[in-house]
């Protein structure tokens, strides 16, 4: 039977939870192994056991059921004035399987997993598991660097990973060796994990969460995940995780209608359900829900040393009429379509995390023109650090899919992004969303034969890595995987041994290393002084050219030719006369290019005005290729 005490949990402990200010809720609710003073006559010792605590304010009664009581139920007691049911059961410890059995006001009994569980059974089983971390971190140097970081002025090239599909059947511990080694070799600064919180349906890729505080057990225990992250940090690689505070699934054993009423979600389906996705929407105006979600964000950052959260589907949170017809949504108090409660919640989370954990990054996947997504909260913005540039992604992929003969007529698709480049702090994403659901893999988006496909991709990624903004690419794109992403299968690693695929993979490695070693390519991403067009208007040659600058007077000129015709003696303007080193040519033989069109490692600029530049040079640019030129300050 449950103990009379609550393991020192009182209504006072839960005051912050009820006013929306408890940002460490996992320390109070859920299951915790504790020792408590014995209360039997003559018992003066300590008793070890587990304290259970769950928020179910509208329940008539709550029991904890598990393998320790043959799933028959021990009664929990209501903590006075709190809506939280709690109890201490002596003799239990780590590994205990449990659920909550809740009696609704109508007298029905429902079984629920623990919303605050920190470990869970592997799907399709779903019981919560008592778990206490014993992990000792070894990433002090990384964490110190994070606290003093300047994310906007530092390189960020992100490798987006679905853990189950990177190499099928690998555990967190396996990935701590294989994934870390690969990402370090490729030179990415960060990995971004698609959601790692527990989810029952594998094809949801983790975007329909049933265990917000529970790392998925598909790949091992929570401390195994900590080890993976620790190893990434020790290798100098940051870790971003997708976070899903926008909606949750309707599985009857999870968060939905938790105590028989709409607790975490809105009761009105016009506010509380995404009809397209078949999911519930959190009630951001409820203080306890705010405490739950902000605590969850901090939990991953503090307990798992996650360096940043990429917040999924922000647009669906910002607008009350998102994917809804007229009459299917409820306007806000001013008659508008903005979800004011969700906006306040996002500002709250972002402000709290940036103040609490300096150096973390909050990234919005936001597809609309909502103003001020990356503006600080105190200036009226949402307070994110970065926003995915969905406009750049859509325009550039439209251009990529055109036959070269038609590209000259759609040149603005590649130049338009500079019109709004400095309105937000952008990440340029080629994510999993672009290679699923019939959209085709990146290489199959490009028309014509394999030579042109691979050459075009090499030019495209060079264009992307030299464009202002941080970069993100989905796993498999780096070696030109041909099938679409399938979460049930491994990437086709064997093709990286083949012509074209291997060259593309080697190009990615060099793009990352050159990018990280040259401040002009990242330091002033969000400052107009970091970018100057050479020629934005050469549609006739399907060619774009610009110069990137840093704060120390260094320059890198980037010229990309999306035409199948080589450019010989192509004249460009440059900010300085003298020797410019050719540091990248995507047509080089090492990348499986022809090696026929280059500049023999150097270009000499003469002091003759060209447009708005004081110097000019003639360069060779390969067909469907890019060159990068670096000003050699020693010359």
């Amino acid at each position: 039977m449950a103990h009379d005490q609550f393991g020192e949990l009182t209504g006072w402990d839960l005051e912050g939870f009820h006013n929306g200010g408890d940002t460490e809720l996992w320390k109070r609710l859920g299951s915790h192994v504790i020792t408590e003073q014995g209360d039997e006559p003559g018992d003066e010792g300590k008793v070890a056991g587990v304290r259970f605590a769950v928020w179910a304010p509208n329940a008539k009664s709550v029991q904890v059921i598990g393998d320790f009581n043959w799933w028959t139920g021990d009664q929990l007691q209501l903590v006075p004035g709190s809506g939280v049911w709690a109890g201490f059961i002596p003799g239990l410890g780590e590994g205990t399987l449990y659920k909550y059995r809740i009696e609704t006001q109508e007298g029905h009994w429902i079984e629920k997993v623990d919303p605050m569980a920190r470990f869970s059974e592997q799907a399709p089983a779903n019981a919560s598991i008592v778990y206490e971390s014993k992990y000792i971190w070894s990433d002090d140097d990384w964490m110190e660097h994070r606290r003093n970081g300047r994310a906007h002025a530092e390189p960020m090239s992100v490798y987006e990973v679905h853990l189950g599909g990177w190499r099928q059947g690998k555990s967190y511990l396996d990935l701590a060796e294989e994934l870390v080694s690969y990402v370090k070799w490729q030179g990415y600064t960060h990995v971004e994990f698609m959601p790692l919180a527990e989810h029952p349906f594998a094809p949801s890729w983790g975007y329909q969460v049933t265990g917000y505080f529970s790392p998925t057990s598909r790949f091992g225990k929570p401390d195994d995940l900590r080890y993976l992250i620790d190893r990434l940090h020790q290798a100098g690689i940051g870790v971003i995780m997708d976070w899903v505070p926008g909606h949750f699934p309707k599985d009857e054993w999870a968060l939905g209608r938790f105590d028989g009423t709409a607790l975490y979600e809105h009761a009105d389906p016009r506010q509380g359900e995404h009809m397209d996705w078949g999911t519930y929407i959190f009630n951001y105006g409820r203080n306890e829900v705010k405490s739950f979600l902000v605590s969850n964000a901090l939990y991953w950052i503090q307990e798992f040393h996650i360096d940043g959260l990429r917040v999924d589907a922000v647009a669906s949170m910002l607008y009350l009429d998102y994917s809804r017809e007229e009459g299917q949504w409820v306007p806000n108090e001013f008659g508008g379509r903005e979800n004011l409660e969700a906006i306040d919640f996002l500002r709250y989370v972002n402000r709290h995390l940036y103040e609490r954990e300096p150096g973390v990054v909050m990234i919005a996947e936001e597809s609309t023109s909502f103003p001020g997504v990356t503006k600080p909260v105190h200036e009226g913005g949402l307070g994110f650090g970065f926003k995915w540039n969905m406009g750049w992604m859509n325009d550039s992929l439209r251009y990529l899919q055109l036959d070269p003969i038609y590209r000259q007529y759609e040149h603005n698709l590649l130049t338009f992004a500079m019109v709004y480049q400095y309105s937000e702090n952008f990440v340029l994403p080629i994510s999993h969303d672009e290679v699923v659901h019939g959209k085709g893999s990146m290489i199959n988006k490009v028309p014509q034969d394999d030579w042109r496909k691979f050459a075009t991709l090499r030019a495209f990624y060079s264009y992307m890595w030299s464009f202002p903004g941080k970069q993100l690419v989905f796993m498999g794109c780096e070696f030109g995987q041909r099938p679409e992403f399938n979460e049930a299968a491994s990437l086709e690693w064997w093709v990286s041994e083949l012509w074209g695929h291997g060259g593309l993979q080697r190009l990615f490695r060099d793009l990352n290393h050159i990018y990280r070693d040259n401040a002009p390519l990242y330091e002033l991403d969000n400052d107009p002084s970091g970018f100057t067009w050479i020629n934005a208007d050469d549609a006739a040659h399907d060619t774009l050219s610009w110069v990137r600058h840093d704060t120390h007077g260094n320059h890198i000129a980037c010229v990309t030719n999306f035409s199948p015709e080589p450019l010989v003696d192509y004249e460009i303007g440059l900010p300085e006369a003298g020797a410019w080193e050719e540091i990248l040519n995507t047509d080089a033989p090492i990348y499986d290019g022809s090696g026929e069109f280059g500049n023999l490692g150097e270009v000499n600029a003469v002091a003759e005005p060209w447009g708005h530049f004081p110097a000019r040079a003639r360069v060779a640019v390969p067909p469907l290729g890019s060159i990068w030129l670096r000003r050699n300050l020693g010359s």
Side-chain angles (χ1 to χ4, degrees), residues 527-597:
D527 187 328
S529 68
F531 179 95
T532 307
W533 282 110
I534 298 174
N535 191 342
D537 302 318
D538 194 0
H541 289 110
D542 299 335
T543 297
L544 303 96
S545 50
W546 55 70
V547 184
R548 300 293 306 276
H549 317 281
D550 68 10
T551 55
H552 294 93
N554 300 304
H555 314 285
I556 292 182
C558 307
V559 187
T560 302
N561 174 14
F562 283 108
S563 160
E565 300 299 322
L567 299 175
V568 182
D569 284 337
Y570 186 72
E571 193 167 69
I572 59 173
L574 290 169
E576 290 186 21
W580 287 70
E581 178 188 4
E582 186 178 57
I583 58 174
L584 181 75
N585 184 324
T586 63
D587 191 48
I590 192 174
Y591 309 133
D592 296 333
S594 73
E596 296 179 14
F597 303 96

Side-chain angles (χ1 to χ4, degrees), residues 317-338:
M317 301 172 66
L318 296 178
Y319 295 105
L320 296 163
D321 63 346
Y322 182 86
S323 193
R324 294 174 189 272
E325 301 295 331
E326 193 66 38
Q328 295 181 344
W329 58 283
V330 180
N332 63 35
E333 60 185 294
F334 304 108
R337 57 194 283 257
E338 294 79 15

Side-chain angles (χ1 to χ4, degrees), residues 184-424:
K184 188 173 178 63
W185 173 74
Q186 276 274 284
Y188 297 98
T189 66
H190 291 73
V191 295
E192 178 175 318
F193 291 132
M194 290 164 70
L196 294 179
E198 196 58 81
H199 53 282
F201 186 52
S204 81
W205 309 326
Y207 292 100
Q208 296 199 8
V209 178
T210 51
Y212 274 82
F213 291 80
S214 180
T216 180
S217 55
R218 288 171 173 82
F219 314 115
K221 296 180 178 180
D223 277 357
D224 297 342
L225 173 59
R226 288 179 170 92
Y227 178 71
L228 168 58
I229 295 168
D230 201 352
R231 286 294 304 275
L232 284 161
H233 284 170
Q234 290 173 51
I237 300 162
V239 181
I240 300 164
M241 189 186 78
D242 286 5
W243 186 51
V244 193
H247 64 125
F248 59 92
K250 294 182 177 180
D251 299 78
E252 61 182 12
W253 44 268
L255 284 180
R257 305 298 193 262
F258 188 79
D259 61 1
T261 67
L263 197 59
Y264 290 87
E265 69 276 24
H266 275 283
D268 188 335
R270 296 175 299 169
Q271 297 171 280
E273 296 185 36
H274 278 305
M275 300 303 182
D276 289 353
W277 300 340
T279 54
Y280 287 128
I281 301 171
F282 282 105
N283 182 351
Y284 305 105
R286 187 161 197 166
N287 284 338
E288 293 87 353
V289 173
K290 286 192 283 190
S291 288
F292 175 83
L293 288 173
V294 72
S295 292
N296 186 242
L298 184 64
Y299 172 77
W300 289 102
I301 288 169
Q302 280 199 344
E303 294 291 318
F304 288 86
H305 290 200
I306 294 288
D307 301 297
L309 298 174
R310 176 272 205 180
V311 183
D312 182 62
V314 170
S316 75
M317 301 172 66
L318 296 178
Y319 295 105
L320 296 163
D321 63 346
Y322 182 86
S323 193
R324 294 174 189 272
E325 301 295 331
E326 193 66 38
Q328 295 181 344
W329 58 283
V330 180
N332 63 35
E333 60 185 294
F334 304 108
R337 57 194 283 257
E338 294 79 15
N339 188 334
L340 302 180
E341 293 172 341
I343 290 168
D344 285 344
F345 163 73
L346 288 170
R347 287 172 170 161
Y348 172 36
V349 170
N350 288 331
R351 184 179 66 247
H352 182 77
L353 293 183
Y354 275 114
E355 290 175 355
R356 185 78 171 270
E357 295 287 339
V360 301
V361 292
M362 296 294 288
I363 304 169
E365 188 228 355
E366 203 283 309
S367 55
T368 74
S369 56
F370 189 93
V373 172
T374 60
K375 217 175 166 182
V377 172
H378 67 268
E379 295 180 12
L382 291 184
F384 284 95
F386 294 97
K387 169 181 170 171
W388 274 20
N389 193 337
M390 309 298 276
W392 172 90
M393 178 273 296
N394 284 313
D395 288 348
S396 59
L397 291 187
R398 277 182 59 201
Y399 184 89
L400 191 72
Q401 294 174 78
L402 293 170
D403 189 289
I405 198 171
Y406 300 116
R407 287 176 180 159
Q408 60 184 308
Y409 306 113
E410 301 288 350
H411 192 73
N412 65 300
L413 289 173
L414 294 189
T415 59
F416 181 66
M418 282 307 300
V419 173
Y420 58 86
Q421 168 61 31
Y422 303 107
S423 63
E424 303 279 5

Side-chain angles (χ1 to χ4, degrees), residues 495-526:
V495 304
S496 64
E497 303 295 323
L498 303 179
W499 176 91
H501 298 277
L504 184 60
Q505 189 182 43
R506 289 187 289 275
L507 173 71
F508 262 96
R509 183 177 189 274
D510 285 355
L511 285 176
N512 281 326
H513 285 280
I514 295 170
Y515 167 73
R516 293 174 69 161
D517 291 343
N518 290 276
L521 294 171
Y522 61 79
E523 187 183 25
L524 297 173
D525 276 334
N526 307 119

